[in-house]
Amino acid sequence: MNTPVHIPATSCRDTPILKERGQREVFCGLTGIIWLHRKMQDAFFLVVGSRTCAHLLQSAAGVMIFAEPRFGTAILEETDLAGLADANDELDREVGRLLSRRPDIKQLFLVGSCPSEVIKLDLARAAQRLTQIHAPHVRVLNYSGSGIETTFTQGEDACLASMVPVLPGTEARELLLVGALPDVVEDQAVGLLKKMGIGPIRVLPAPRSSDAPGVGPNTVFACLQPFLGDTAAALERRGARMISAPFPFGEEGTTLWLRAIAKEFGVDDATFEAVTAAPRARARTAIANASEHLRGKTIFFMPDSQLEIPLARFLTRECGMEAIEIGQPYIHKGLVGPDLDLIPAGPTISEGQDVDKQLDRVRAARPDLTVCGLGLANPLEAEGLTTKWAIELVFTPVHFYDQAGDLAGLFSRPLRRRALLKLEERA
Amino acid sequence: MKLTVWTYEGPPHVGAMRVATAMKGLHYVLHAPQGDTYADLLFTMIERRGHRPPVSYTTFEGRDLGEDTAGLFKKTCQDAYDRFKPQALIVGASCTAELIQDDPGGLAETMDIPVPVIALELPSYQRKENFGTDETFYQLVKALAGPVEKTPHITANLIGPLALGFRHRDDLEEVKGLLYEMGIGINVVAPFDATPADLTRLGAAHINILMYPEHAETAARHMERVLGIPYTKTVPIGVGATHDFVAEVARICGVEPKKDISRLRQPWWSKSVDSTYLTGKRVFVFGDATHVMTAARIARDEMGFEVVGLGCYNREFARAVRQLAKDFGLEALITDDYLEVEKAIEDASPEMILGTQMERHIGKRLGIPCAVISAPVHVQDFPARYSPQMGWEGANVIFDTWIHPLVMGLEEHLLSMFREDFEFHDEAGASHHGGHSPKPAEGGQPPAAAQPRRDISETEKHEQAATLTGTDVMVWLADAEKELKKIPFFVRGKARRNTEKFAAERGVTEISVDTLYEAKAHYAR
């Protein structure tokens, strides 16, 4: 029912944040291209960078690279570094060649990288110039996915934020859902809201550029992901207003997220209850089954995607886990504040990373489960710790009611496996 | 600028990481922005290493740029030394740090680090991963290996094997075995599992076994010049090459070329009657130069294939590959652009591809069987089981690996005998091509002729559309079309092309059964 959620006396909202700098074992924002290009069907992402950038995309994209993906890297060569005028001509030529080969492309993103930013190649101006050349067929935008500016999922934020200023204006009162989710999840979210009579509902990013949502003073928006701080700010600059809520992970998170929107649109309790009762019950059952191995277990989050705080909230409150440290690459309290409110004080909240020091803390705490990147997972397993590799949480459908059990399952599987395997010699 | 999606090689600092990760007691301090740590996962995931690569990244950010990135480098260097206490450090810059022009070598020199610090100059905008491995190992050898007394009995250094190397782990065991049989001991293996202290003892060996020219040729030349150690030029991949290798080592060391070939099964397997069907199979070979050159010889001389295309992606070895291609009557394809490789494969229309991970996917797209012979490779090519490429066991492994994707003789015979049978119908595909085989026909009925054709046929159609235009358009008479269907599907494409080519050359526009068989007779080999 509409009972207020229990708010702990002291929550993590007030916990002082341990801020660290040093070596960071994280991806740069270029990685966001891997899932964004799947979502935006008429967009191409052209990284202007080095062989390292191309190699990173190749390593992160795995077998996807063989499926004619809509991204690529314009690799800077020695001649491009000599003079800036050349680099612009070269870029225009490569873009011309690309667009003539791929006439289906309607949006082209020039994605900045560390090398392109260090040589101060002005991709914003290049985007303007190329938009003029290729108008009206193709619009060219630019954003930075460089490691010196962005960490992993921040690449999506930078991309969406670059689109906001050029979205059409509207006076309509519309709900805008922000963040790229797998279609199946997005459909569930839209379906639930529609059943409550909420609409019209638009999404950012839209699957095709012709469906781009309008934005204006009557727009209200809700973020589907916690890493969209710049996009939220850009929308607010266009007069839109954010609906603040915990993120839709688990039964509780999804309910609170939906409830915040329902309240904004004046949905009555009976309707809300009628729409959500069945999927809530389903989610609770699924979580109960999947979280059997999680109860009472400790968890340590190394920073990766900014999903860590909402996920820690889900795992501690709905799956009975105990968080030791929750690390995020960057903490935007305006977005994850509601999630922090729900986590009782106790765990260390850390922002940024000094990886060797953080690993020392992991080893000292010996958590039952450590959430970390692929560069750290096997080395920690070899030390006898159980890990869950974090990048999967970004690619797999995990939001909303019907994925809640799967989400708990992603964390319980490594623990079940550890219990299952009988590989050591027995005395 | 060059637009690319797939790269055969990473940047040169990844090559340096491969050397550092292969070794013990060495640490690499890399001036690099946040995100370059992605390369760690190549080692922890693809090679499944249970430790982090010994690399510390400075992880500079945008806000550090106008400030003290040099200070950040020195701090990282000091922290890395204090924490890991390595026997030696290598320092260098990744592509972005190369642009900001801090000088890692110079900076490290001003510090008080009590172990050798070796600076790497790796030009990221000109050179690639294999240059990085070769140069890094050379710099290490140059800095650490001095003249030392030779070992009393004959010993060899095995140089070249490193981290993320295609089958390096097992090749090493195989080559050790070959040397053991000749009574030659091992002095140092490097970089694989070697420490910087081990590198100081390199000079004690009587011979260098250059296992992978891509990764250690410069170091081998250096040691020949400075330490007077001769090195082997033959890479022992394949039966013939292994015999040659043993002879070469025996000659250099003045020992008897003793060998134990009791477990070598490849020659008999290749001679046995079931392998007759391999004769003249048209293969396209692409990869790194060393593996391509050895594979081409095996393909022709030890498997009885016809090599119809050959090339490599590492330009450093272009000359040698061109020379070899000439011996095969071919023009070598030297490129790092996979689209060019794909085009060359389409043009050559081979029956099999020997290549890298990329060629595996090209093969999948074109419906051509493929076996992997060279890096870059994915996780499945770092197997748990023993699977060398070198030496006698390597020859056995290679035979099995190459023929698995092909339909073997007996199976091929059965397929054509029972081709109307529901299990062996045209659409069933080759049995080892699982990922590509179409769904079984519903209800066990033979598929209707209207069923969509497989990719290869689509390609065929495109080719036809492309090559046969205007007045060249051929008409297949019904009888000929029916006869063509009787030819096993995996050679049908070639039969169709050959017949059309034959007809076109003779100005024939209608293809009859007779045309089909005249063409067959014409192209018979």
Side-chain angles (χ1 to χ4, degrees):
Chain A
M1 279 305 292
N2 209 8
T3 44
V5 174
H6 167 71
I7 308 246
T10 52
S11 76
C12 280
R13 168 84 85 163
D14 311 313
T15 305
I17 294 173
L18 171 65
K19 298 199 180 194
E20 285 199 303
R21 283 193 67 185
Q23 178 177 326
R24 286 180 163 212
E25 191 77 22
V26 288
F27 284 123
C28 65
L30 294 182
T31 335
I33 292 170
I34 310 289
W35 65 86
L36 279 173
H37 91 283
R38 305 293 310 152
K39 193 71 191 170
M40 297 157 73
Q41 294 161 17
D42 55 5
F44 192 99
F45 294 79
L46 180 62
V47 177
V48 181
S50 64
R51 179 168 300 279
T52 311
C53 305
H55 197 232
L56 159 88
L57 284 176
Q58 176 172 318
S59 309
V63 293
M64 205 186 268
I65 210 96
F66 301 106
E68 286 248 19
R70 280 172 287 99
F71 62 81
T73 309
I75 295 187
L76 294 164
E77 291 167 328
E78 238 206 342
T79 48
D80 301 305
L81 305 176
L84 285 180
D86 275 347
N88 284 313
D89 293 347
E90 291 271 301
L91 182 60
D92 291 3
R93 193 197 62 217
E94 284 302 325
V95 166
R97 199 182 281 170
L98 168 69
L99 292 177
S100 64
R101 216 169 51 200
R102 304 289 298 265
D104 50 321
I105 302 302
K106 302 273 192 294
Q107 302 180 76
L108 176 69
F109 288 94
L110 301 179
V111 188
S113 67
C114 304
S116 77
E117 280 164 25
V118 167
I119 63 168
K120 304 214 182 322
L121 189 58
D122 191 344
L123 291 182
R125 190 179 296 174
Q128 279 174 8
R129 184 178 67 239
L130 287 162
T131 296
Q132 280 165 7
I133 297 173
H134 297 283
H137 192 66
V138 184
R139 191 171 64 200
V140 185
L141 293 173
N142 102 286
Y143 72 90
S144 168
S146 73
I148 56 180
E149 299 294 340
T150 59
T151 305
F152 194 28
T153 49
Q154 273 184 295
E156 176 174 336
D157 191 24
C159 173
L160 300 189
S162 79
M163 300 169 76
V164 171
V166 294
L167 292 176
T170 178
E171 295 297 315
R173 175 163 166 79
E174 289 180 336
L175 172 64
L176 180 61
L177 302 182
V178 187
L181 287 192
D183 290 342
V184 53
V185 184
E186 191 177 288
D187 291 348
Q188 287 171 21
V190 171
L192 286 165
L193 292 165
K194 276 193 174 154
K195 274 196 209 158
M196 293 180 210
I198 295 168
I201 301 169
R202 312 294 301 271
V203 291
L204 182 71
R208 313 196 71 84
S209 57
S210 51
D211 305 328
V215 62
N218 296 316
T219 307
V220 287
F221 68 93
C223 290
L224 292 159
Q225 300 278 26
F227 45 74
L228 298 171
D230 286 353
T231 308
L235 286 165
E236 281 167 352
R237 279 197 292 279
R238 298 269 321 250
R241 186 162 49 79
M242 181 166 83
I243 301 169
S244 185
F247 287 91
F249 297 113
E251 183 268 321
E252 183 187 40
T254 304
T255 303
L256 291 172
W257 187 87
L258 288 169
R259 199 193 297 284
I261 296 171
K263 190 165 160 243
E264 169 70 27
F265 284 84
V267 176
D268 61 73
D269 287 352
T271 309
F272 187 85
E273 193 58 29
V275 171
T276 59
R280 283 179 77 175
R282 271 204 308 272
R284 275 195 296 263
T285 310
I287 295 168
N289 292 335
S291 62
E292 185 193 331
H293 294 264
L294 299 177
R295 305 222 161 267
K297 298 287 193 332
T298 55
I299 189 163
F300 193 116
F301 285 90
M302 302 195 76
D304 191 61
S305 61
Q306 298 186 46
L307 295 172
E308 293 83 2
I309 288 171
L311 290 175
R313 186 260 303 148
F314 164 67
L315 290 167
T316 52
R317 290 177 61 97
E318 299 188 51
C319 302
M321 295 190 88
E322 184 198 333
I324 295 172
E325 176 167 334
I326 309 169
Q328 281 205 167
Y330 180 69
I331 296 177
H332 190 298
K333 279 206 174 171
L335 285 169
V336 294
D339 283 288
L340 281 171
D341 285 337
L342 295 174
I343 307 174
T348 304
I349 308 288
S350 63
E351 183 179 20
Q353 188 174 38
D354 183 334
V355 72
D356 285 308
K357 284 188 190 153
Q358 194 172 36
L359 284 170
D360 288 344
R361 296 200 296 274
V362 170
R363 291 179 186 121
R366 291 204 71 80
D368 294 310
L369 191 62
T370 304
V371 182
C372 61
L374 291 171
L376 297 171
N378 270 336
L380 286 174
E381 291 277 351
E383 291 182 27
L385 290 156
T386 306
T387 61
K388 165 76 211 107
W389 44 284
I391 191 170
E392 195 178 8
L393 301 162
V394 177
F395 288 106
T396 312
V398 291
H399 294 65
F400 293 96
Y401 292 128
D402 288 312
Q403 285 66 240
D406 302 340
L407 177 58
L410 287 179
F411 292 92
S412 67
R413 194 170 302 124
L415 290 165
R416 274 169 45 219
R417 182 167 184 77
R418 162 122 342 200
L420 214 58
L421 293 181
K422 304 277 179 278
L423 291 169
E424 310 324 318
E425 190 184 1
R426 273 178 270 190
Chain B
M1 263 177 221
K2 184 164 170 25
L3 182 62
T4 188
V5 176
W6 165 271
T7 69
Y8 283 98
E9 290 181 71
H13 73 260
V14 169
M17 286 180 71
R18 291 176 61 183
V19 174
T21 305
M23 289 181 61
K24 295 181 181 345
L26 179 73
H27 201 86
Y28 184 18
V29 180
L30 182 62
H31 205 13
Q34 162 174 268
D36 280 3
T37 53
Y38 81 86
D40 284 1
L41 69 87
L42 304 173
F43 301 94
T44 60
M45 298 304 291
I46 296 180
E47 207 181 6
R48 289 189 222 247
R49 283 184 180 256
H51 63 87
R52 292 170 62 211
V55 184
S56 292
Y57 304 77
T58 54
T59 317
F60 55 84
E61 295 175 62
R63 58 182 165 177
D64 298 321
L65 284 177
E67 296 167 27
D68 190 17
T69 50
L72 190 59
F73 175 82
K74 285 166 87 169
K75 182 182 180 301
T76 309
C77 218
Q78 190 64 51
D79 287 353
Y81 177 75
D82 293 344
R83 180 176 279 268
F84 300 104
K85 290 277 168 7
Q87 296 172 15
L89 277 179
I90 50 178
V91 298
S94 80
C95 52
T96 307
E98 191 183 330
L99 298 172
I100 59 178
Q101 299 185 333
D102 293 332
D103 169 21
L107 289 168
E109 222 170 79
T110 64
M111 301 172 61
D112 213 9
I113 293 180
V115 295
V117 178
I118 297 145
L120 302 174
E121 293 291 338
L122 302 173
S124 318
Y125 297 91
Q126 297 161 35
R127 312 306 296 263
K128 289 179 275 187
E129 184 173 335
N130 283 343
F131 172 83
T133 60
D134 184 75
E135 173 69 11
T136 304
F137 185 52
Y138 164 61
Q139 292 299 341
L140 280 163
V141 170
K142 199 172 100 178
L144 298 173
V148 286
E149 201 179 321
K150 298 274 177 210
T151 55
H153 32 258
I154 300 174
T155 57
N157 296 322
L158 307 191
I159 59 172
L162 35 67
L164 265 187
F166 175 63
R167 306 297 165 85
H168 288 196
R169 176 197 70 195
D170 299 341
D171 283 349
L172 207 46
E173 294 311 311
E174 205 54 31
V175 173
K176 280 181 190 168
L178 293 174
L179 296 174
Y180 176 80
E181 281 151 23
M182 283 186 273
I184 297 172
I186 306 297
N187 182 49
V188 172
V189 175
F192 203 92
D193 278 350
T195 61
D198 292 335
L199 297 190
T200 63
R201 296 190 290 105
L202 279 165
H206 298 241
I207 181 173
N208 272 325
I209 307 297
L210 176 56
M211 290 179 64
Y212 307 99
E214 271 84 358
H215 307 310
E217 191 165 26
T218 310
R221 289 216 183 105
H222 170 80
M223 284 189 267
E224 184 175 58
R225 208 171 51 238
V226 176
L227 303 173
I229 308 177
Y231 66 93
T232 52
K233 312 290 190 297
T234 314
V235 176
I237 301 179
V239 179
T242 304
H243 283 300
D244 293 353
F245 171 82
V246 170
E248 186 185 9
V249 172
R251 183 176 47 75
I252 294 174
C253 297
V255 300
E256 225 185 296
K258 272 192 261 169
K259 44 200 167 194
D260 172 12
I261 55 166
S262 58
R263 285 179 305 116
L264 173 63
R265 285 174 284 269
Q266 192 277 345
W268 166 243
W269 252 243
S270 197
K271 282 181 205 159
S272 75
V273 292
D274 196 51
S275 299
T276 312
Y277 285 78
L278 300 174
T279 313
K281 285 266 185 211
R282 298 158 45 78
V283 297
F284 190 98
V285 192
F286 196 83
D288 69 34
T290 296
H291 286 91
V292 162
M293 293 197 295
T294 49
R297 177 173 175 187
I298 299 170
R300 184 183 63 187
D301 299 346
E302 296 166 26
M303 303 291 276
F305 293 158
E306 183 194 348
V307 178
V308 297
L310 185 159
C312 73
Y313 57 77
N314 48 341
R315 283 172 197 282
E316 290 88 345
F317 291 81
R319 184 183 293 183
V321 172
R322 285 209 178 91
Q323 185 56 49
L324 181 81
K326 212 180 269 171
D327 296 346
F328 278 74
L330 297 167
E331 176 103 29
L333 175 71
I334 313 292
T335 181
D336 59 356
D337 183 344
Y338 71 99
L339 293 172
E340 276 183 42
V341 179
E342 186 170 81
K343 170 113 195 0
I345 291 175
E346 267 176 322
D347 291 349
S349 57
E351 289 158 277
M352 183 181 196
I353 307 168
L354 303 172
T356 71
Q357 179 73 9
M358 187 57 203
E359 282 68 46
R360 219 165 60 89
H361 285 268
I362 292 174
K364 220 181 239 178
R365 251 165 57 92
L366 301 177
I368 302 172
C370 179
V372 170
I373 59 159
S374 156
V377 291
H378 207 51
V379 62
Q380 70 269 36
D381 273 302
F382 287 94
R385 66 174 185 276
Y386 184 61
S387 22
Q389 299 287 290
M390 290 185 179
W392 312 127
E393 186 58 22
N396 295 336
V397 168
I398 286 172
F399 182 86
D400 288 348
T401 310
W402 291 13
I403 59 135
H404 275 177
L406 292 170
V407 180
M408 280 304 284
L410 188 59
E411 206 176 340
E412 186 164 324
H413 180 65
L414 289 172
L415 270 176
S416 49
M417 220 163 97
F418 299 117
R419 68 173 169 267
E420 301 305 329
D421 192 287
F422 77 93
E423 277 179 301
F424 294 103
H425 61 79
D426 287 2
E427 303 292 327
S431 59
H432 295 293
H433 228 197
H436 208 69
S437 64
K439 329 171 257 321
E442 273 170 44
Q445 293 298 309
Q451 264 204 331
R453 301 175 72 192
R454 306 194 312 135
D455 288 3
I456 180 73
S457 317
E458 291 301 320
T459 320
E460 243 173 73
K461 275 187 217 158
H462 288 306
E463 275 174 22
Q464 285 170 36
T467 53
L468 309 173
T469 49
T471 52
D472 284 345
V473 175
M474 303 279 169
V475 178
W476 281 76
L477 297 175
D479 278 359
E481 190 79 55
K482 203 172 152 198
E483 199 67 17
L484 184 68
K485 285 245 156 175
K486 294 181 189 167
I487 298 171
F489 68 88
F490 34 83
V491 289
R492 195 179 302 151
K494 197 169 78 183
R496 181 187 283 276
R497 274 195 301 277
N498 282 349
T499 309
E500 288 174 358
K501 194 168 156 221
F502 177 82
E505 281 165 5
R506 279 153 193 78
V508 176
T509 54
E510 284 188 346
I511 294 173
S512 65
V513 177
D514 285 341
T515 326
L516 181 68
Y517 282 109
E518 277 165 26
K520 184 171 189 284
H522 178 76
Y523 287 107
R525 39 164 207 246

